[in-house]
Every structure is written in C-alpha cells, then in structure tokens.
Amino acid sequence: MNASQIRLLIIVLLFAVIFLSGYWLSRTGKPYSALLLNAHKLIALGAGIYLGFTIHKINLTDPLNPAQWIALAAMILFFLITVVTGGLSSVEKTFPAMVSKAHSYGPYLAVLSSLAFFYFSYQKV
C-alpha cells in the first residue's frame, strides 16, 4: 500500500467509527452518555483535522481542479451542517424535527461529497 491508500483507509475507518458511535448514541436516547458523546465528538473533530491535512497534501502535490473545489465546498458545507445540528441535538432543549433530520442525513452527504472529492483527486478529469 502506498501513502495515499493508507490515508484513505484511515479516513474510511474514522468515518466508520463516527457512524457506529453516532448510531450507538441514537439508540441510547437522551440524556446521552457523556463519555460516548464526547468520544463521538472528538473522533469527528480528529477526522475533520486529518481530512483537512490530507486535502492540503493533495493540493500541494497537484493543485486542485474545479471539480475538486466543488466537491470540497460541498464537503465543508455538509460537515458544518452535521456539526451544528449534532451540537443542537446533544443539548436537552427540544428543537424542530428538521434539526434531527439534518443530522441524520448530513453525515451521508458529507461522506458522498468526500468520495466525490477523492474520486476527482485520483482520476484525471
């Protein structure tokens, strides 16, 4: 395995851990376990930072093309939506169902936009 494949594998594993811990949190219900909630948030933060460094390395190697910039903008948007709605969902106050739905769909859209970014990164378009 080369370095870029290892980076992608790490990102996939981090996404899997985030999804599994989020699924576990949703099954436990409110009030959430502080340990599990904070682990979920910290792993997501670490994954975001690692993803940012990986994207930066890709940009240094070969400047991003327009398709990558569009996928990156979508990825950032969906990650921000997921983080904000996740923060709102974790407090004890009740929010509209739209917040919960956005946090349910946001991670999938973030992963799809990430896949698009990496597809455009390793395919010459």
Side-chain angles (χ1 to χ4, degrees), residues 10 15 18 23 27 35-36 38 41 44 54 65 70 73 77 80-81 93-95 98-99 105 109 112 118 121-122:
I10 291 170
F15 278 153
I18 294 166
Y23 183 76
R27 295 298 170 234
L35 180 65
L36 183 57
N38 288 319
K41 289 178 182 181
T54 301
N65 62 44
I70 293 169
L77 174 68
L80 287 175
I81 288 171
K93 184 178 176 187
T94 304
F95 287 94
M98 181 181 74
V99 172
Y105 296 122
L109 295 171
L112 285 175
F118 286 109
S121 295
Y122 297 111

Side-chain angles (χ1 to χ4, degrees), residues 2-12 14-15 45-64 68 72 75 79 114 117-119 121-122:
N2 62 30
S4 61
Q5 290 173 329
I6 292 172
R7 280 190 215 106
L8 282 175
L9 180 62
I10 291 170
I11 290 169
V12 167
L14 287 170
F15 278 153
L45 176 65
I49 291 169
Y50 187 77
L51 190 58
F53 281 124
T54 301
I55 292 168
H56 179 68
K57 285 184 182 208
I58 290 170
N59 186 42
L60 288 177
T61 305
D62 188 19
L64 302 181
Q68 289 170 302
L72 180 60
M75 184 188 335
F79 273 109
S114 299
F117 175 84
F118 286 109
Y119 174 79
S121 295
Y122 297 111

Side-chain angles (χ1 to χ4, degrees), residues 1 4 21 25 38-39 42 56 58 65 74 78 87 89 92 107:
M1 282 186 129
S4 61
S21 64
L25 273 169
N38 288 319
L42 288 172
H56 179 68
I58 290 170
N65 62 44
F78 294 132
S89 297
E92 292 191 27

